[in-house]
Amino acid sequence: MADFSGKRALVLGVANKRSIAWAIAQQLAAGGARLAFTYQGERIEETVRELAGSVSGELVTECDVRSDDDIARVFAEAGETFGGELDILVHSVAFAAAEDLEGRFTDTPRERFWLALDISAYSLVACARAAEPLMEKAGGGSIVTMTYLGGERAVPHYNVMGVAKATLDSSVKYLAWDLGRKNIRVNAISAGPVRTLAARSIAGFTTMEDIVEERAPLRRHVSADDVGAAAAYLLSDAARNVTATTLYVDSGYHAMGM
Ligand code: NAD
C-alpha cells in the first residue's frame, strides 16, 4: 500500500459510495493522507459528508466546477485547512446531458456541447491553476484525472463525452508541461466501464460491459477499487518520474482492434 502520511489531498467528484473518486479517497485515507472533499449540489451533500466523516475528512465544501468563484473559494478553504499547501488533487468530474448520450453525436446542440466540455475538461485546467500555488509551496504535487477510451476512438453513445475526454487528454499533456518545472505531475487514468451514477446515464452501458467481458485480454470487468489502486500509484512518490501519461485500467481492452 502506498504511503501518504502527511500528504494533503483534495478530492473532487464523490457523489456516493460507488464513485471512482471515493475508491481513490479510500486508498489515500488508508495510506494516511489528510483529506478534503467537494460535492456538487445539496442533493448529495449529506452522503458526501457521511463518507468524508468515515475517513476523518477535514473539509467538505460545495463546488460547481462551472463557477470560477466556487473554484477560487474551494482552493482558498483547502489552503486554510492544510496550512497553505496541497500535495494531491483528484479530479473525477464529468457531465453531459443524458439526451446527448443516446442519440447521434451529429445532433449535439452548441450549448450542450460546451456544457460537457466546460464541466468535463476545462474544469481540470481551472483546478490545476488554482492548485498550482499550493502545490508549489509544498515543493510539488500530483494531479490525477479520469478519462475513457471514447476520447480516442468513436464509442457508440459516448458522443460529446468522447469529445470532452479528448480535450481532457490533451489538457493533461499541456498542464504536465507547464507545471512540471514546479515538480507538479499531471496524469490520467483511462478506466473500463464501472457501474456508477455517471455511467448509468450512458445508453447501452451494459453492452459496453458485455463487449469488455468478451474481448478484453483479461475478459473481466474492472472495479472502482482497481481504479483506486492505480490512482494511488500515480499519486504516490513511486510515480515521481511519471507525468503526462494515461494509465489504462481496462483489462487491456484498449489494445484490441476487434
Ligand atoms: P460519479 O457520478 O460517481 O462521479 C461523477 C462526479 O461528477 C459526481 O460526483 C458529480 O457530482 C460530479 N459533477 C458533475 N457535474 C459537476 C459540476 N458541475 N461541478 C462539480 N462536480 C460535478 O461517476 P464516476 O463514474 O465515478 O465518474 C468519475 C469520473 O470517471 C468521470 O470523469 C467519468 O467520466 C470517469 N470515468 C468513468 C468511467 C465509468 O465507467 N464509470 C469510465 C471511465 C472514466
Side-chain angles (χ1 to χ4, degrees):
M1 187 201 299
D3 179 15
F4 294 109
S5 33
K7 300 282 187 194
R8 294 137 303 185
L10 175 61
V11 179
L12 279 76
V14 177
N16 57 38
K17 65 177 182 353
R18 289 185 210 284
S19 295
I20 289 171
W22 177 238
I24 299 172
Q26 285 176 292
Q27 290 276 338
L28 293 170
R34 297 173 59 189
L35 288 161
F37 293 88
T38 70
Y39 63 89
Q40 193 239 333
E42 279 171 22
R43 224 168 12 92
I44 61 168
E45 176 176 358
E46 205 182 310
T47 307
V48 178
R49 283 196 186 280
E50 265 173 38
L51 291 171
S54 71
V55 292
S56 308
E58 295 175 45
L59 173 70
V60 181
T61 190
E62 182 157 22
C63 185
D64 185 328
V65 294
R66 287 170 294 185
S67 158
D68 287 330
D69 289 347
D70 269 20
I71 291 174
R73 176 184 45 74
V74 164
F75 281 84
E77 288 176 7
E80 275 166 36
T81 306
F82 295 141
E85 300 185 8
L86 186 69
D87 305 286
I88 288 168
L89 175 64
V90 176
H91 174 277
S92 186
V93 167
F95 178 83
E99 54 265 57
D100 294 329
L101 298 172
E102 49 189 40
R104 301 192 316 161
F105 169 67
T106 312
D107 298 327
T108 314
R110 190 187 301 268
E111 69 280 9
R112 293 207 306 260
F113 181 99
W114 290 119
L115 176 69
L117 268 81
D118 187 13
I119 297 177
S120 315
Y122 180 73
S123 63
L124 176 70
V125 183
C127 290
R129 188 166 61 239
E132 182 181 358
L134 302 175
M135 289 186 164
E136 190 177 5
K137 206 170 159 224
S142 182
I143 300 174
V144 160
T145 188
M146 294 302 311
T147 191
Y148 176 61
L149 189 64
E152 301 170 57
R153 319 259 178 88
V155 173
H157 305 300
Y158 204 62
N159 298 357
V160 69
M161 187 55 85
V163 176
K165 292 302 191 194
T167 306
L168 182 76
D169 294 347
S170 184
S171 301
V172 164
K173 298 180 179 107
Y174 281 98
L175 290 168
W177 166 248
D178 281 352
L179 302 178
R181 67 190 66 213
K182 295 184 177 172
N183 192 30
I184 299 170
R185 300 183 292 106
V186 189
N187 291 294
I189 291 177
S190 183
V194 179
R195 273 178 195 260
T196 61
L197 199 60
R200 281 215 306 263
S201 53
I202 303 166
F205 183 77
T206 46
T207 311
M208 288 163 85
E209 286 186 316
D210 292 346
I211 291 175
V212 167
E213 210 162 65
E214 189 187 311
R215 304 197 194 155
L218 293 173
R219 294 170 179 79
R220 60 182 182 235
H221 300 299
V222 304
S223 68
D225 288 341
D226 298 332
V227 181
Y233 161 68
L234 286 175
L235 293 168
S236 76
D237 289 341
R240 64 191 163 276
N241 280 327
V242 179
T243 193
T245 199
T246 301
L247 178 54
Y248 293 87
V249 182
D250 66 349
S251 298
Y253 180 77
H254 67 281
M256 303 305 294
M258 275 277 282

